[in-house]
Amino acid sequence: GESVGLHLPTLSVQEGDNSIINCAYSNSASDYFIWYKQESGKGPQFIIDIRSNMDKRQGQRVTVLLNKTVKHLSLQIAATQPGDSAVYFCAENRGYGQNFVFGPGTRLSVLP
Amino acid sequence: ETGVTQTPRHLVMGMTNKKSLKCEQHLGHNAMYWYKQSAKKPLELMFVYNFKEQTENNSVPSRFSPECPNSSHLFLHLHTLQPEDSALYLCASSPSGQGAVEQYFGPGTRLTVT
């Protein structure tokens, strides 16, 4: 029979608009977070990271916000471009070693 | 390119076959990882190696056998796999000994078990 795949949330935005992708994490002990971008046929690519002693970090066209009170992470992409179309994953490190836990991902589609 | 290469990019194997996946990193890192990415689950960590020593085995079945001969190379030996093992297998590397840091991923090997 046909296998059931993981249902990815999808966000569709117009080219030039800002995108906000959200991620909820489960462990209050997590102290390091990464956003990855995965394009079709490629491995995940690092976008930006943030440690728990910060609540905001900015990169080139991207901003990550961390709300530890509600265990929520968001990725904001300014002036979204067609090349931003991909699946975006958040990953949390639970304070020990290199063991990251990845979220299910959000598919971003940029409309012309 | 991320500096992490994987071969083969695609592999089809029967349940009785034995095959190996290869990963090589050109970044001077000392930590290497195997992940499984399937259609049904989020990205799952399988194994972690630091300075050629295995430091994490995330309850992976013994039909998956990793090997790390040096800090630049990582193998995943496969034998008597099941159809549910069909997935994208991703290798990653990172600097070691600095706590949690970003990992650099290869393009993956798309494995189909028939």
Side-chain angles (χ1 to χ4, degrees):
Chain A
E2 192 174 289
S3 61
V4 177
L6 193 65
H7 175 68
L8 289 184
T10 299
L11 175 66
S12 297
V13 298
Q14 291 291 140
E15 182 178 353
D17 286 353
N18 296 334
S19 303
I20 299 176
I21 300 171
N22 297 303
C23 179
Y25 64 94
S26 57
N27 193 327
S28 57
S30 293
D31 62 359
Y32 179 57
F33 305 86
I34 299 179
W35 279 102
Y36 285 95
K37 170 187 180 183
Q38 187 173 21
E39 297 174 272
S40 181
K42 297 184 179 180
Q45 177 187 0
F46 172 89
I47 302 174
I48 192 167
D49 59 0
I50 189 167
R51 297 199 181 267
S52 58
N53 60 351
M54 304 174 70
D55 52 21
K56 180 179 180 179
R57 190 153 189 241
Q58 288 185 288
Q60 187 177 16
R61 273 198 317 118
V62 294
T63 301
V64 55
L65 299 178
L66 175 62
N67 185 329
K68 294 181 286 293
T69 303
V70 294
K71 297 198 287 282
H72 184 267
L73 196 66
S74 68
L75 177 70
Q76 301 178 0
I77 304 174
T80 312
Q81 302 169 359
D84 294 327
S85 293
V87 177
Y88 289 80
F89 296 94
C90 65
E92 61 178 299
N93 184 273
R94 297 187 169 180
Y96 52 89
Q98 297 127 320
N99 195 335
F100 282 86
V101 175
F102 284 75
T106 296
R107 186 178 304 280
L108 176 65
S109 294
V110 181
L111 308 173
Chain B
E1 296 299 322
T2 62
V4 181
T5 58
Q6 291 186 245
T7 54
R9 293 294 309 275
H10 299 271
L11 178 63
V12 179
M13 61 185 288
M15 288 189 284
T16 58
N17 290 161
K18 290 184 181 181
K19 296 287 184 183
S20 296
L21 310 185
K22 179 182 177 182
C23 175
E24 184 174 0
Q25 58 95 0
H26 310 274
L27 301 168
H29 292 161
N30 288 304
M32 296 189 77
Y33 311 79
W34 280 117
Y35 285 88
K36 177 182 179 182
Q37 187 174 39
S38 67
K40 297 182 181 180
K41 294 183 180 181
L43 198 62
E44 299 174 272
L45 179 67
M46 300 174 72
F47 301 104
V48 181
Y49 277 82
N50 280 281
F51 296 96
K52 304 186 297 179
E53 298 297 320
Q54 188 181 125
T55 53
E56 291 265 359
N57 177 337
N58 215 17
S59 302
V60 180
S62 60
R63 57 185 184 270
F64 295 91
S65 175
E67 179 190 0
C68 189
N70 55 61
S71 293
S72 300
H73 294 86
L74 185 64
F75 295 89
L76 187 62
H77 303 301
L78 315 171
H79 64 97
T80 59
L81 294 192
Q82 304 298 311
E84 59 264 29
D85 296 322
S86 298
L88 181 69
Y89 288 85
L90 290 159
C91 173
S93 73
S94 72
S96 186
Q98 300 178 27
V101 293
E102 68 182 270
Q103 296 172 9
Y104 295 76
F105 285 84
T109 295
R110 174 70 61 186
L111 174 68
T112 303
V113 181
T114 61

